[in-house]
Structures are given as C-alpha cells and as structure tokens.
Amino acid sequence: MSEPLTTAGEGFHPHLHDAPAERATAPLHTRLHHIRADALDGDTAQTGGMRRFAAISGKTTGSEKLWMGQTHVAPATSSSDHHHGASETAIHVVSGHPEFVFLDDSGDEPQEVRLRASPGDYIFVPPFVPHREENPDPSEEAVVVIARSTQEAIVVNLPRLYALPADGGGHEG
C-alpha cells in the first residue's frame, strides 16, 4: 500500500556516500571518538577564575572546525575580561547560576549588561565580544559546556571590559 519514501543512500544525508577520498582514508576521520568525562584535557587556554577542559579539539580528536569542552567557575568567582577572537561560542549551562557580563555600546552611552543564567539555558557569544563569566553563588560551582567554531579554545585576556571596534581588530586605550 505504501512505498518507501527514500531509497538506500537518500534521505537526510544523501551526500555522505560522496565523501572525498582523502577524508575517507584519514585515520581520525574514519571513526567516532569517545571522550570520557574523566579524560578531559586541562591543558587549554585559561582565564583567571575559571578552569577549562577540552573534550573535542584538534589535539584530542583531530577536529578541524570545532572545539567543545567544559568550564568550571568556582563559587564567588569572576573570570578575567576576555574574548574568543574570530570564534563563535555557544554555552550550555549544566549546573549553577553563572552570569555573563558584556558592554552594550549600541546606545548613546555604553552600558554593562548582565545575563543571569540557570541550568538548561544557552548563551551565544559572537566573535570578538569582550565579556566575563561570574559565579555569584557563595557555595556552588557553576559548570557549563562550551562549543566553539574553531578547533582550539581561543582566549584573549583583556585588561578591562570594553567594546571592540566593529572590525574586531585592535583595542582602545
């Protein structure tokens, strides 16, 4: 009565059988990678007040376009002001109630904005946007999962929180 909607090789990913030959033979690109929670790599770029751990990176899995890991912010702690270069950053709050602070300069006067997050919330940080993470809770650590559009965790620590020029280059005073 009904016919299959797709045939073998069609459907959600019909292009997968057309993978380039060099990709198909590269050892890191022919299998899935399982990174256990106790095997996260702490040898990452750090910002004061935070501990970053890589799970998916060029170093751990051969990733070419993605970095993913965890960040732990201790109780009553604030990170240094920083940005992540040309990388887009997506954040998922696992535990705690971290706050993400940035400077909104879209009005007449720059204004500090504080985003208060809860478990299950997501935050998007565009490239070159200076910000900091804070954990105002006096007793509970905040843990977030981070994904970046680069294979490594880019962290550019800054002397203070300020808006960068629209082109992302240079720093003011």
Side-chain angles (χ1 to χ4, degrees), residues 11-151:
F12 293 110
H13 305 289
H15 61 283
L16 289 181
H17 66 280
D18 295 331
E22 68 275 1
R23 176 71 88 191
T25 59
L28 291 174
H29 298 287
T30 59
R31 63 184 186 86
L32 299 181
H33 297 266
H34 181 185
I35 295 80
R36 296 187 183 280
D38 62 357
L40 298 180
D41 180 4
D43 186 24
T44 65
Q46 301 293 328
T47 298
M50 303 171 69
R51 293 178 300 135
R52 289 190 182 90
F53 300 93
I56 311 296
S57 70
K59 179 179 170 186
T60 62
T61 66
S63 170
E64 295 178 0
K65 298 177 185 174
L66 179 71
W67 182 94
M68 189 172 191
Q70 283 185 4
T71 299
H72 296 245
V73 184
T77 300
S78 176
S79 76
S80 301
D81 297 330
H82 62 280
H83 69 77
H84 303 292
S87 180
E88 292 183 330
T89 302
I91 301 168
H92 175 72
V93 180
V94 175
S95 65
H97 295 276
E99 298 184 0
F100 300 86
V101 183
F102 69 99
L103 196 66
D104 181 356
D105 67 342
S106 62
D108 292 337
E109 290 290 323
Q111 179 179 359
E112 186 175 284
V113 175
R114 180 175 301 272
L115 304 174
R116 292 177 175 88
S118 296
D121 289 354
Y122 291 84
I123 301 289
F124 174 68
V125 181
F128 296 104
V129 174
H131 61 283
R132 72 177 170 267
E133 288 89 22
E134 297 180 357
N135 182 6
D137 191 293
S139 59
E140 183 183 10
E141 177 180 70
V143 178
V144 299
V145 170
I146 296 179
R148 294 218 177 96
S149 62
T150 54
Q151 86 179 71

